[in-house]
Amino acid sequence: MTFFFPSHGRTATAVTSTVMVMTTSASVPTEGAISDGGRVTDRLVKANEQYAAAFTDPGMDARPVLHVAVVACMDARLDLHAALGLELGDCHTIRNAGGVVTDDVIRSLTISQRKLGTRSVVLIHHTGCGLEAITEDFRTELEMEVGQRPAWAVEAFRDVDQDVRQSMQRVRTSPFLLHTDDVRGFVFDVKTGLLREIDPT
């Protein structure tokens, strides 16, 4: 199925619901990317100077053109814009460890919907997530090391499909969100680059 949406500075853009391929940072040369001391940040600042030299104001406002918010894991292998065929200004992107729906994600989604006009929510977990390799004991380990127990939950999980379902349920039952009828969840396969949709039931 194909939908057409107007977008910033573009004619109508086709957006399809087909499975998509995602590129990863593993295919990008890393020579000089990681250094000692603060040189990584220096490299990023230098890149920003080059970017800014050619930058022109695109004339956008804060409202996403496609009225969609994407919640995803912070994993560096996920290039969300490339994978989903998105361009600057198309969506809100909310990322954290695991891509789980926490209170802070609900906070961001609430602002996104109520103040900035989004209506759809896309949730993306992935295979081989680091949260599958740890447990809530991580909080105890931190307490032993630093003398203070974190107030936040690790949100570790063993079944990625079930965790996507839980995240969808948290969005759909939040009293703060205006639009919960178009909430869909996926697992991204880091080996193939494909998204697999999760049945909420």
Side-chain angles (χ1 to χ4, degrees):
M1 184 177 296
T2 302
F3 302 92
F4 289 88
F5 299 94
S7 190
H8 294 297
R10 297 175 296 182
T11 56
T13 302
V15 177
T16 66
S17 59
T18 56
V19 172
M20 293 151 281
V21 178
M22 179 177 290
T23 59
T24 74
S25 60
S27 62
V28 178
T30 57
E31 182 178 348
I34 300 176
S35 306
D36 294 332
R39 293 174 58 193
V40 173
T41 304
D42 292 339
R43 176 176 176 268
L44 300 181
V45 171
K46 184 65 175 177
N48 172 255
E49 291 172 357
Q50 296 173 355
Y51 169 78
F55 183 81
T56 55
D57 182 358
M60 302 176 183
D61 62 26
R63 294 175 175 267
V65 170
L66 300 184
H67 309 292
V68 61
V70 180
V71 179
C73 184
M74 67 185 187
D75 193 293
R77 294 170 290 183
L78 275 65
D79 184 350
L80 293 175
H81 276 68
L84 303 178
L86 296 168
E87 295 187 29
L88 184 67
D90 281 346
C91 74
H92 281 160
T93 305
I94 305 162
R95 300 184 73 160
N96 65 20
V100 296
V101 174
T102 61
D103 286 346
D104 193 62
V105 168
I106 293 294
R107 165 187 166 270
S108 293
L109 288 174
T110 301
I111 294 169
S112 177
Q113 288 193 357
R114 290 181 175 269
K115 297 300 182 182
L116 296 168
T118 60
R119 291 180 162 272
S120 300
V121 179
V122 174
L123 306 171
I124 301 178
H125 284 31
H126 66 92
T127 59
C129 185
L131 286 190
E132 295 178 273
I134 61 176
T135 69
E136 293 298 323
D137 289 341
F138 179 59
R139 298 170 71 226
T140 303
E141 294 167 10
L142 285 173
E143 182 180 17
M144 296 296 291
E145 179 181 335
V146 305
Q148 181 176 338
R149 189 175 183 82
W152 37 263
V154 176
E155 296 281 357
F157 54 84
R158 291 290 174 269
D159 184 333
V160 66
D161 289 22
Q162 182 56 33
D163 204 69
V164 172
R165 292 188 189 96
Q166 175 177 271
S167 290
M168 284 191 280
Q169 183 67 9
R170 287 179 178 177
V171 171
R172 288 176 171 153
T173 58
S174 172
F176 306 112
L177 299 177
L178 293 172
H179 308 290
T180 58
D181 57 323
D182 187 15
V183 179
R184 295 170 67 181
F186 301 84
V187 173
F188 168 69
D189 189 319
V190 298
K191 300 297 186 183
T192 67
L194 297 177
L195 288 176
R196 174 172 57 84
E197 185 157 11
I198 301 301
D199 187 333
T201 60

